[in-house]
Amino acid sequence: MSFKTLITLATLALAVVAVPTKRATCSNGRTTAHASCCVWFDVLDDIQENLFDGGECGEEVHESLRLTFHDAIPFSPKLFLQGKFGGLGADGSIMAHSEIETAFHANAGVDEIIEAQRPFAIKHKVSFGDFIQFAGAVGVTNCAGGPRLEFLAGRLNVSLPAPDLLVPEPR
Ligand code: HEM
């Protein structure tokens, strides 16, 4: 190995070592990319224990996964083009305005999981929209062969009720 190559390798090694780590250490000792994400470790522990019965792949997990879809799918560019409100997708509106959205025919049965989830979101002060997607992503990891879904936080906790007829029916 030439001296020049050695110097280049040493410089690279130093550069790697010198890269500043932005990771934050949370109160429970776990680390994450940013301190604002620490709350999700608390939510994780709480829902695995108290919503998903100790990390099971039970009915709360199935219902939570379904809820991610029923909150997110009402988003209609067509309605917007007509000058009407077309929903804002995964915005937590199904929980914030559950009295309206659970009355939609296609949402039959989602009321139970909404009521089960809501206190966790309120307790941890995270938005309904974030909570619904997080619970779905965590839940499927409890199921054998389930995927590890990416979760992105940051949804506002402000929403309008989605319009009816945007959640597809089986037919
Ligand atoms: C056009 C799309 C879809 C239609 C028409 C549809 C329809 C349905 C229907 C009719 C049920 C049975 C509900 C009942 O218990 O009466 C159901 C359950 C379910 N759906 Fe969908 N679905 C769709 C898309 C999705 C997607 C994208 C997901 C996942 C993100 C999903 C996850 C689930 C789960 C997990 C259940 C079982 C819930 C439980 O066991 O409580 N569905 N779906």
Side-chain angles (χ1 to χ4, degrees):
M1 188 185 300
S2 72
F3 182 69
K4 200 176 162 191
T5 312
L6 193 67
I7 293 294
T8 309
L9 286 175
T11 311
L12 280 174
L14 278 175
V16 169
V17 171
V19 168
T21 61
K22 283 185 183 168
R23 296 193 71 78
T25 302
C26 307
S27 56
N28 47 28
R30 284 176 283 189
T31 60
T32 181
H34 194 276
S36 63
C37 298
C38 286
V39 64
W40 294 105
F41 285 124
D42 301 333
V43 180
L44 173 69
D45 292 342
D46 200 4
I47 64 175
Q48 283 289 47
E49 195 54 40
N50 302 309
L51 180 64
F52 299 144
D53 307 320
E56 286 184 11
C57 176
E59 66 180 39
E60 290 81 9
V61 165
H62 307 164
E63 291 173 353
S64 292
L65 180 60
R66 185 178 178 220
L67 191 62
T68 64
F69 179 59
H70 286 238
D71 187 38
I73 199 66
F75 177 77
S76 169
K78 191 176 158 193
L79 285 181
F80 278 113
L81 286 174
Q82 294 168 358
K84 298 173 190 159
F85 179 64
L88 285 178
D91 58 358
S93 65
I94 201 164
M95 190 173 284
H97 307 284
S98 53
E99 73 290 356
I100 295 172
E101 293 194 30
T102 58
F104 301 164
H105 185 259
N107 284 340
V110 298
D111 49 323
E112 257 182 52
I113 191 66
I114 290 173
E115 295 315 316
Q117 286 190 4
R118 192 199 314 276
F120 291 94
I122 292 171
K123 174 180 168 188
H124 293 284
K125 299 185 174 64
V126 294
S127 71
F128 291 159
D130 278 353
F131 184 89
I132 289 170
Q133 298 305 318
F134 185 76
V138 169
V140 292
T141 67
N142 294 345
C143 304
R148 291 200 160 242
L149 301 174
E150 181 183 39
F151 165 70
L152 300 171
R155 296 167 186 80
L156 295 176
N157 209 16
V158 179
S159 63
L160 292 173
D164 196 2
L165 307 178
L166 294 183
V167 179
E169 299 272 2
R171 67 185 176 279

